[in-house]
Amino acid sequence: MKQGNESSITDFILLGLFSDSRHPGLLVTIILFVLGVAITGNSVLALLVWRDAHLHTPMYFLLSQLSLMDLTLISTTVLKMVTDFFSGQSFISHIGCGAQLFLYLMLGVAECVLLTLMAFDRYLAICYPLRYPVIMTPRVCLQMAIGSWVGGMLISLMHTVYAMNFSTCDSREVHHFFCEVMALLKLSCEDTSTYEKVVLASGIVFLLIPFGLILTSYILIFLTVLHMNAPEGRNKALATCSSHLSVVSLYFGPAMIIYTTPGSSLPADVDQCLFVFDVIITPMLNPLIYSLRNKEVLEALRNILWRKLMFIVKR
């Protein structure tokens, strides 16, 4: 097995997005642009929440955690793919593949939990505004964030250990742009049908149930908003909630199709397109959705840019 340099027999080959592309140069240029926007957008949003005192609220703290998750997700998967393209090699070691699988699953589960908690935060803020400061204390917010990360780690560890212990046949070619659990199972010589049912059950628990809870929260929110007398408060609540719903739809939509559909029923091209949307496009759009539709974030960005400009002028 050779591709550039000699590889170990335990290495996997990531075929990536570029193997069947007629214009790989154009495709990698688009990927690089999306990667740059995603890294910049999520980094700036997380920095704004950290630096600006006006954004030190539960909603923005949870939003900063979402940005950190998206930043780590796209760095874990897409940077490796782009590096492979320019180096001409697409090998990944068994340990590296396991690490990539662990990080992807950890961030995926953590993001599902976090988006559900963000919906709960908006539900409390709009439906119970007087009780909101008492319930959503800094300690509770920190516990929510830690719970999302730790929960993702535990579930991911279980799946990673199980999936990486399946024996593989002669082929080491992973028809994907990163080590993804269902793509790895297709290389196994063993009967993986039982484990595929476990993956399906996990998809229901961590995708369908949270999505149902989020929808229920927003139905209750919209019913409350409709009864608001102040147009300004109603518009602000709708703007904030519509941003969150947009992010939820972008993330949960492709993920539910992927992990609640039997693996063999989705064509490989469709499967890859869904992952491109979930892993590459969504992390780029999330900070744009929250910043462009949020006056407080835009104001914080203007203030920091103005202070930087004044500092440069004074020098």
Side-chain angles (χ1 to χ4, degrees):
M1 186 188 307
K2 290 185 179 182
Q3 186 171 336
N5 296 329
E6 191 78 20
S7 82
S8 166
I9 58 172
T10 61
D11 286 351
F12 293 101
I13 299 176
L14 298 173
L15 296 182
L17 297 174
F18 311 116
S19 57
D20 298 325
S21 175
R22 295 181 181 179
H23 308 286
L26 175 61
L27 184 56
V28 77
T29 301
I30 295 172
I31 296 295
L32 282 172
F33 172 77
V34 172
L35 179 64
V37 173
I39 291 176
T40 303
N42 285 292
S43 300
V44 168
L45 189 54
L47 181 63
L48 285 176
V49 174
W50 176 62
R51 289 286 300 273
D52 196 290
H54 295 94
L55 301 182
H56 291 174
T57 63
M59 182 182 76
Y60 291 112
F61 173 74
L62 295 177
L63 179 57
S64 70
Q65 297 303 302
L66 180 65
S67 291
L68 291 175
M69 290 177 186
D70 281 338
L71 187 61
T72 309
L73 175 62
I74 200 167
S75 300
T76 299
T77 55
V78 184
L79 279 179
K80 166 66 176 168
M81 177 181 64
V82 173
T83 303
D84 288 347
F85 175 80
F86 285 109
S87 66
Q89 301 178 20
S90 56
F91 299 122
I92 185 168
S93 67
H94 191 271
I95 294 176
C97 187
Q100 198 176 55
L101 174 61
F102 170 77
L103 288 171
Y104 167 72
L105 291 176
M106 178 193 76
L107 294 164
V109 173
E111 205 158 315
C112 289
V113 175
L114 185 68
L115 288 170
T116 307
L117 293 174
M118 289 173 71
F120 177 69
D121 170 75
R122 291 299 84 206
Y123 166 73
L124 288 177
I126 295 171
C127 298
Y128 299 97
L130 298 180
R131 296 172 60 185
Y132 178 75
V134 178
I135 299 174
M136 292 298 293
T137 61
R139 181 179 179 181
V140 170
C141 293
L142 185 60
Q143 289 172 343
M144 285 181 169
I146 293 174
S148 300
W149 287 96
V150 173
M153 287 180 188
L154 294 176
I155 299 301
S156 176
L157 182 62
M158 178 188 70
H159 279 286
T160 302
V161 170
Y162 202 78
M164 295 304 293
N165 278 325
F166 280 114
S167 61
T168 55
C169 298
D170 295 334
S171 175
R172 312 291 293 181
E173 294 183 343
V174 181
H175 290 265
H176 220 293
F177 58 93
F178 70 98
C179 285
E180 190 272 327
V181 60
M182 300 306 292
L184 289 174
L185 291 182
K186 292 177 182 178
L187 304 181
S188 178
C189 300
E190 303 176 30
D191 179 15
T192 61
S193 58
T194 302
Y195 180 65
E196 288 179 11
K197 292 177 182 177
V198 173
V199 174
L200 177 63
S202 297
I204 293 172
V205 172
F206 292 104
L207 289 169
L208 293 182
I209 293 178
F211 187 69
L213 292 173
I214 291 170
L215 285 183
T216 301
S217 297
Y218 279 102
I219 289 172
L220 296 174
I221 288 172
F222 286 133
L223 290 175
T224 302
V225 168
L226 289 176
H227 291 88
M228 286 184 176
N229 295 322
E232 184 178 346
R234 186 190 304 120
N235 293 336
K236 183 178 180 180
L238 288 174
T240 303
C241 294
S242 61
S243 296
H244 188 202
L245 274 179
S246 300
V247 171
V248 167
S249 302
L250 289 171
Y251 182 77
F252 277 89
M256 285 192 294
I257 296 174
I258 293 167
Y259 289 111
T260 59
T261 305
S264 58
S265 65
L266 284 177
D269 291 343
V270 175
D271 188 60
Q272 289 240 44
C273 287
L274 289 171
F275 272 103
V276 166
F277 202 88
D278 214 33
V279 176
I280 302 176
I281 304 298
T282 301
M284 178 194 72
L285 293 177
N286 283 355
L288 297 178
I289 290 172
Y290 275 108
S291 61
L292 294 177
R293 304 187 63 183
N294 192 303
K295 293 181 180 179
E296 292 175 324
V297 173
L298 290 175
E299 185 64 28
L301 180 59
R302 280 194 293 266
N303 289 338
I304 286 185
L305 291 177
W306 178 253
R307 286 198 294 267
K308 291 292 183 182
L309 179 61
M310 289 296 99
F311 176 76
I312 293 173
V313 170
K314 289 179 180 179
R315 289 183 64 184

